[in-house]
Amino acid sequence: MAAPKKVCIIGSGNWGSAIAKIVGFNAGNNPKFDKTVSMWVFEEMVNGRKLTEIINTDHENVKYLPGHRLPPNVLAVPELVDAVKGADILIFVVPHQFIQRVCETIKEHIKKDAVGMSLIKGVDEGPEGLKLISEVIRGKLGITMTVLMGANIANEVADEKFCETTIGCKDKVNGPILKELMQTTNFRVTVVEEADVVEICGALKNIVAVGAGFCDGLGFGDNTKAAVIRLGLMEMIAFARVFCTAGSVSPTTFLESCGIADLITTCYGGRNRKIGEAFAKTGKSIEELEKEMLNGQKLQGPATASEVNHILKSKNMVDKFPLFNAVYQICFNGHSVKEFITCLQNHPQHM
């Protein structure tokens, strides 16, 4: 029998800790995995104690996932290099602006045949256009990459409320083992091959959510929001067809949790929607609202809208994506938020 696979979770925020609950439980109960799951924790002091010490003694991330017991086989490690040593599976779940630095730190210290899985929603804008986070990691580390995306609000996952998720994995060997690592009775996993489409959904839905927030702020109802979701989904599919290089993009991937389900969740909850609503009501800038409402966290939606706009400009296709363009123009170029409704009224109904 093959040696048990060692798993490392890189990141320990709200979502990282929720995932640690699942991975710790599964690794502890499946002989295919090494029982100890290391989790890199950015060291900080909480009530006079080190956060790693609290997690390792009390088995709770009191700062980012309070009230939830982590399995005792999840080991918090303050040094990133120590955490990744010997790991066969690396799960990346840090804010996307830190990913370059994380890769630089670990690249000389990981196994060459390790498999990575990115849970990071967002994109990176490279000199040649849009780059998926998994591509950034693959480029820096040279390892096989997969992704996990879905309608997965961290606290609900930690509460073990039923939900689904999607793993995007191009090769047939890694898919089943990653599914075994992630799936539980209440966290149901589907594996699809179109990894780039799975990942692009995770980024683009945040633009649509900002638009859904504009509708809420302007006092439009659920019918209008449903139209935003549908038109936004059409633009997501159209953009994936332009951007994803693997040739034909199958509409069925958009029916997975990473597509329509994540889009709905984000347009009804989530911080992109919340800030979109506040923006329409208050007239304050996105930056001001970020500072006031998010306590240092960054919004993905407006930044992604800007990156997508640059790409569409370079391909001379801005006009084909009126919803994406309206969110960009309203967030960054001083256009009135009322223009968003005009964009919906004039939207081509089919793309």
Side-chain angles (χ1 to χ4, degrees):
M1 193 176 150
K5 292 188 181 299
K6 194 167 171 7
V7 183
C8 170
I9 300 169
I10 300 172
S12 58
N14 187 232
W15 186 211
S17 300
I19 282 299
K21 250 188 104 166
I22 289 175
V23 170
F25 176 81
N26 283 346
N29 290 288
N30 185 332
K32 290 183 186 170
F33 303 104
D34 188 301
K35 279 200 174 7
T36 303
V37 172
S38 56
M39 175 168 78
W40 173 56
V41 174
F42 181 79
E43 191 66 281
E44 47 194 311
M45 299 302 284
V46 181
N47 305 327
R49 294 170 71 196
K50 290 179 173 176
L51 184 54
T52 52
E53 183 201 314
I54 296 171
I55 292 171
N56 290 334
T57 330
D58 305 348
H59 307 298
E60 182 186 352
N61 186 337
V62 289
K63 177 148 188 191
Y64 296 108
L65 194 68
H68 286 281
R69 196 176 153 71
L70 296 175
N73 57 320
V74 172
L75 179 70
V77 182
E79 291 299 328
L80 180 51
V81 167
D82 295 341
V84 301
K85 260 198 191 96
D88 301 289
I89 298 171
L90 298 166
I91 298 171
F92 294 88
V93 55
V94 292
H96 94 280
Q97 57 270 34
F98 301 135
I99 198 62
Q100 302 267 11
R101 206 182 321 158
V102 163
C103 290
E104 283 301 323
T105 307
I106 67 174
K107 66 178 184 197
E108 302 303 327
H109 302 276
I110 57 168
K111 291 173 85 165
K112 294 287 171 268
D113 61 349
V115 173
M117 179 189 269
S118 171
L119 276 61
I120 303 166
K121 288 177 181 175
V123 287
D124 206 55
E125 196 187 355
E128 60 300 317
L130 196 73
K131 267 194 122 161
L132 298 171
I133 301 295
S134 65
E135 288 179 337
V136 173
I137 300 171
R138 188 187 302 118
K140 291 258 181 222
L141 303 180
I143 59 173
T144 298
M145 281 302 298
T146 63
V147 297
L148 180 144
M149 303 275 151
N152 306 141
I153 292 168
N155 287 35
E156 293 183 16
V157 173
D159 283 335
E160 298 178 30
K161 291 177 174 161
F162 176 80
C163 70
E164 302 176 309
T165 199
T166 312
I167 289 177
C169 177
K170 286 193 167 62
D171 73 85
K172 292 192 167 57
V173 180
N174 292 319
I177 191 84
L178 293 172
K179 180 170 178 166
E180 277 189 58
L181 180 64
M182 305 308 294
Q183 179 153 281
T184 67
T185 321
N186 288 317
F187 192 66
R188 193 164 67 183
V189 176
T190 306
V191 181
V192 303
E193 281 183 36
E194 288 184 336
D196 49 354
V197 178
V198 171
E199 193 170 359
I200 202 85
C201 283
L204 295 177
K205 53 103 193 190
N206 286 325
I207 306 177
V208 186
V210 174
F214 292 162
C215 285
D216 290 342
L218 293 165
F220 292 95
D222 283 341
N223 295 344
T224 311
K225 205 194 278 198
V228 170
I229 291 172
R230 189 187 83 81
L231 297 168
L233 181 63
M234 280 172 34
E235 291 195 15
M236 284 167 63
I237 295 171
F239 188 85
R241 289 193 166 135
V242 171
F243 174 76
C244 297
T245 46
S248 64
V249 165
S250 130
T252 55
T253 303
F254 294 91
L255 298 178
E256 296 294 347
S257 183
C258 61
I260 188 69
D262 198 11
L263 179 60
I264 291 168
T265 303
T266 313
C267 286
Y268 278 90
R271 52 189 185 219
N272 287 283
R273 187 215 63 80
K274 194 159 83 179
I275 297 252
E277 180 178 19
F279 181 89
K281 279 182 172 162
T282 64
K284 292 178 180 176
S285 73
I286 294 286
E287 288 75 28
E288 283 176 275
L289 293 167
E290 252 183 358
K291 279 197 188 81
E292 277 176 33
M293 296 169 68
L294 292 186
N295 153 34
Q297 287 178 300
K298 277 295 188 212
L299 263 197
Q300 302 288 11
T304 307
S306 168
E307 287 155 358
V308 162
N309 192 265
H310 289 171
I311 284 144
L312 292 174
K313 267 202 186 103
S314 71
K315 292 187 182 285
N316 212 358
M317 294 180 79
V318 172
D319 297 347
K320 289 196 161 63
F321 294 84
L323 191 149
F324 287 176
N325 186 42
V327 170
Y328 168 73
Q329 297 296 350
I330 292 163
C331 286
F332 295 102
N333 291 346
H335 287 219
S336 160
V337 73
K338 293 192 171 63
E339 283 185 26
F340 190 64
I341 295 304
T342 318
C343 123
L344 299 180
Q345 289 161 339
N346 301 328
H347 202 288
Q349 288 166 312
H350 304 287
M351 294 181 78

